[in-house]
Amino acid sequence: MNLTEEWERAVTQRTVKDRVYEAATTLTTPTTVADIAARADCTKEGARPHLEWFVDLGVLEKVADNPALFVRNEAYFEFRRVTELIREFETSAAIAEAIDEYRARERELAAHFDEPSPDAVAYAGIAARDDDAAERLREWRTVTRRLRELREAKLRLDSDGGHSAASLFP
């Protein structure tokens, strides 16, 4: 079996729940059950119980009832990213080293734009005149988010004596 056939087989074997989850993780704006079902290639009736289950798990937020509108719960995904960082770095010292590296890059990017934060930069103004600047601004936003997540990971590790809940689940 070649790679294309293997991929097609894996895609066709996904369950409705898997497809709804994949669609749900992309919901950055409130989205109807019908739209989610279309993205997941299933019926509204097939998607609805999975969406409610993902709300119960905290993966999604239900922001309206009639019509039902769902959006991904950013706090859930941030918690997962922080947990993954704890697993990746394992120690507070390793996270502190990564924080130092990200801080250095953050200072370089701030100096480039001569602004205190990426939110202070008008994206439309720089994107129109300079693709490199637009890419740097996207990087700065990513670096800023990663620093926040690294700090949270370090705080979690420090607060529970290095025995994070993440270490309990291999």
Side-chain angles (χ1 to χ4, degrees), residues 32-130:
T32 65
V33 175
D35 287 340
I36 298 166
R39 292 179 192 184
D41 193 29
C42 67
T43 65
K44 291 189 307 185
E45 294 74 24
R48 193 177 313 276
H50 299 299
L51 292 168
E52 296 294 342
W53 188 64
F54 292 135
V55 168
D56 290 343
L57 288 176
V59 174
L60 294 176
E61 293 180 57
K62 188 174 187 180
V63 295
D65 287 320
N66 194 8
L69 297 173
F70 298 87
V71 66
R72 70 185 246 148
N73 179 359
E74 291 303 327
Y76 169 84
F77 288 95
E78 184 171 333
F79 178 84
R80 285 198 53 186
R81 285 190 304 268
V82 169
T83 300
E84 289 167 8
L85 288 170
I86 291 169
R87 286 183 180 142
E88 177 184 340
F89 288 97
E90 297 180 354
T91 67
S92 183
I95 292 175
E97 187 176 314
I99 287 171
D100 290 343
E101 291 172 13
Y102 274 90
R103 274 190 193 140
R105 183 61 182 147
E106 183 183 44
R107 282 191 296 272
E108 290 171 14
L109 292 163
H112 175 78
F113 289 102
D114 194 30
E115 292 289 351
S117 75
D119 294 335
V121 178
Y123 181 79
I126 64 156
R129 66 173 203 265
D130 186 353

Side-chain angles (χ1 to χ4, degrees), residues 4 8 13-14 20 27 33 35 40 53 57-58 74 78 91 102 110 116-117 119 131-132 137 143 148 168 170:
T4 302
E8 287 174 2
Q13 290 182 344
R14 293 175 306 154
V20 170
L27 302 178
V33 175
D35 287 340
W53 188 64
L57 288 176
E74 291 303 327
E78 184 171 333
T91 67
Y102 274 90
S117 75
D119 294 335
D131 285 340
D132 184 50
L137 180 57
V143 166
R148 186 179 64 251
L168 298 175

